[in-house]
């Protein structure tokens, strides 16, 4: 598991600046190879609690029905701040076992590419000792997802997956953005409602019907793996501004290029709708 924390200086999509927006009609989707899916997911940092040997903190899972064996689960936090808060709770809890208390002192929050988690799950899927991960979406994003769904007329109390936010217009379709590094159009999928709102604010005056829609990460990954259309090559997962700031602090004098963070205070160009 040590390979999980070799984050280095690469946050794939963070090396690209989003400048302007274009539009496309209803977006078809395509099947990517497992490696291509991993590369897209690698742009998203997630956070694990690990000891000083880079071994993730796990919790035991009892045996289940249908002969399911007991195992261990690693929590994967989408929010670095919430991972830190959880770790602080562990440190503040007094444990009667001095060995466990000493281990808790060594715990740290470490960033891991989401693609690596995806790869590990795939590699061990058919193993009786397969790796199990449970995702902990950020509380603020969960609340934002529920609010959006309720506004759309759905009666939802809880969102049970990692929410992903998309800016869409009923008459113009999904809003794309241009990437400064190669001037190519990308279809941004935001991990933060606030960042999606920044894009919406830019285009709202020219596209009054534009709105934020919420989908789930499970569905996105399923589409990338199973659908068959060239279009999904343009999909780009946009990590939250909070995650980018956290990675910048971790990397000290060599922070990742924030140019792929959602463009703010830009004047998006709005070409005609693509056919």
């Amino acid at each position: 598991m040590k390979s999980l924390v070799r984050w280095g200086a690469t946050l794939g999509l963070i090396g690209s600046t989003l400048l302007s927006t274009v539009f496309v009609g209803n977006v078809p989707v395509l099947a990517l190879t497992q490696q291509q899916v991993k590369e897209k997911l690698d742009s998203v940092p997630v956070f694990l609690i690990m000891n000083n040997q880079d071994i993730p903190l796990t919790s035991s899972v009892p045996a289940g029905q249908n002969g399911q064996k007991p195992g261990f689960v690693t929590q994967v936090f989408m929010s670095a701040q919430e991972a830190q808060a959880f770790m602080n709770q562990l440190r503040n809890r007094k444990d009667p076992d001095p060995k466990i208390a000493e281990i808790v002192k060594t715990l740290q929050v470490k960033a891991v590419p989401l693609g690596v988690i995806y790869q590990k799950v795939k590699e061990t899927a058919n193993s009786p000792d397969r790796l199990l991960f449970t995702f902990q979406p950020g509380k603020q994003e969960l609340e934002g997802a529920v609010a959006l769904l309720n506004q759309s007329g759905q009666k939802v109390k809880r969102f049970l997956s990692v929410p992903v936010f998309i800016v869409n217009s009923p008459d113009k379709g999904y809003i794309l953005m241009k990437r400064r590094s190669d001037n190519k159009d990308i279809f941004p999928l935001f991990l933060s409602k606030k960042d999606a709102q920044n894009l919406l604010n830019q285009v709202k005056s020219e596209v009054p019907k534009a709105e934020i829609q919420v989908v789930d990460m499970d569905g996105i990954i399923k589409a990338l793996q199973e659908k068959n259309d060239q279009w999904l090559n343009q999909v780009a997962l946009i990590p939250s501004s909070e995650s980018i700031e956290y990675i910048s602090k971790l990397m000290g004098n060599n922070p990742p290029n924030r140019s792929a963070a959602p463009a703010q205070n830009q004047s998006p160009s709005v070409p005609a709708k693509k056919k």
Side-chain angles (χ1 to χ4, degrees):
M1 297 292 286
K2 288 187 177 181
S3 62
L4 289 179
V5 294
R6 301 296 180 247
W7 186 264
T10 57
L11 276 178
L13 126 83
I14 297 182
S16 320
T17 298
L18 307 178
L19 285 179
S20 59
T21 58
V22 295
F23 299 93
V24 67
N26 292 330
V27 179
V29 287
L30 93 137
L32 303 180
T33 66
Q34 185 171 318
Q35 179 60 28
Q36 287 174 316
V37 174
K38 177 188 178 301
E39 289 171 358
K40 287 186 179 294
L41 298 178
D42 275 341
S43 66
V44 178
V46 295
F47 304 93
L48 303 183
I49 298 174
M50 297 182 175
N51 66 12
N52 53 11
Q53 294 180 330
D54 294 345
I55 299 175
L57 180 70
T58 61
S59 57
S60 60
V61 178
Q65 298 178 351
N66 301 323
Q68 181 180 345
K69 295 182 179 180
F72 295 90
V73 173
T74 297
Q75 292 196 72
V76 180
F77 292 86
M78 300 304 296
S79 165
Q81 292 181 355
E82 292 182 17
Q84 188 73 42
F86 182 81
M87 186 185 68
N88 291 340
Q89 288 179 1
L90 292 176
R91 287 179 173 175
N92 294 331
R93 186 177 62 188
K94 294 183 179 180
D95 197 292
D97 187 334
K99 291 184 179 180
I100 294 180
E102 195 62 31
I103 291 174
V104 169
K105 292 179 182 179
T106 70
L107 297 178
Q108 300 177 58
V109 174
K110 297 190 178 183
V112 175
L114 178 57
V116 175
I117 303 292
Y118 169 82
Q119 184 179 44
K120 292 295 181 181
V121 170
K122 287 292 184 181
E123 290 174 352
T124 63
N126 297 320
S127 170
D129 300 320
R130 68 186 183 278
L131 299 176
L132 302 175
F133 299 93
T134 179
F135 285 81
Q136 304 295 331
K139 180 179 179 182
Q140 183 175 355
E141 308 312 332
L142 287 175
E143 291 175 348
V146 169
L148 284 171
L149 291 172
N150 286 330
Q151 288 172 15
S152 69
Q154 302 182 52
K155 295 182 179 180
V156 177
K157 293 183 178 181
R158 295 179 60 195
F159 196 86
L160 300 178
S161 181
V162 175
V164 178
F165 304 94
I166 302 171
V167 181
N168 176 56
S169 172
D171 56 343
K172 291 184 177 293
Y174 293 99
I175 297 179
L176 306 184
M177 302 186 78
K178 283 196 178 293
R179 188 164 54 195
R180 178 181 293 173
S181 61
D182 54 15
N183 204 40
K184 291 184 177 180
D185 296 337
I186 66 169
F187 175 24
L189 308 181
F190 295 96
L191 274 295
S192 165
K193 180 177 179 290
K194 178 181 178 182
D195 295 335
Q197 184 68 47
N198 289 335
L199 173 57
L200 179 63
N201 292 343
Q202 293 181 65
V203 302
K204 195 66 175 177
S205 60
E206 296 183 63
V207 192
K209 295 183 180 180
E211 60 186 6
I212 300 175
Q213 295 180 339
V214 60
V215 295
D216 64 87
M217 180 67 78
D218 294 341
I220 294 295
I221 294 176
K222 184 178 177 65
L224 291 172
Q225 294 178 137
E226 298 180 0
K227 300 299 181 179
N228 186 20
D229 195 300
Q230 282 288 62
W231 217 94
L232 272 188
N233 281 312
Q234 293 176 288
V235 163
L237 287 159
I238 311 294
S240 69
S241 297
E242 177 207 331
S243 294
I244 295 172
E245 292 292 345
Y246 185 86
I247 297 299
S248 296
K249 292 178 181 178
L250 285 181
M251 298 179 68
N253 294 328
N254 297 298
N257 189 333
R258 288 198 60 204
S259 54
Q264 301 183 33
N265 302 320
Q266 304 277 4
S267 298
S269 60
V270 185
K273 176 182 177 181
K274 287 187 177 181
K275 302 295 183 183

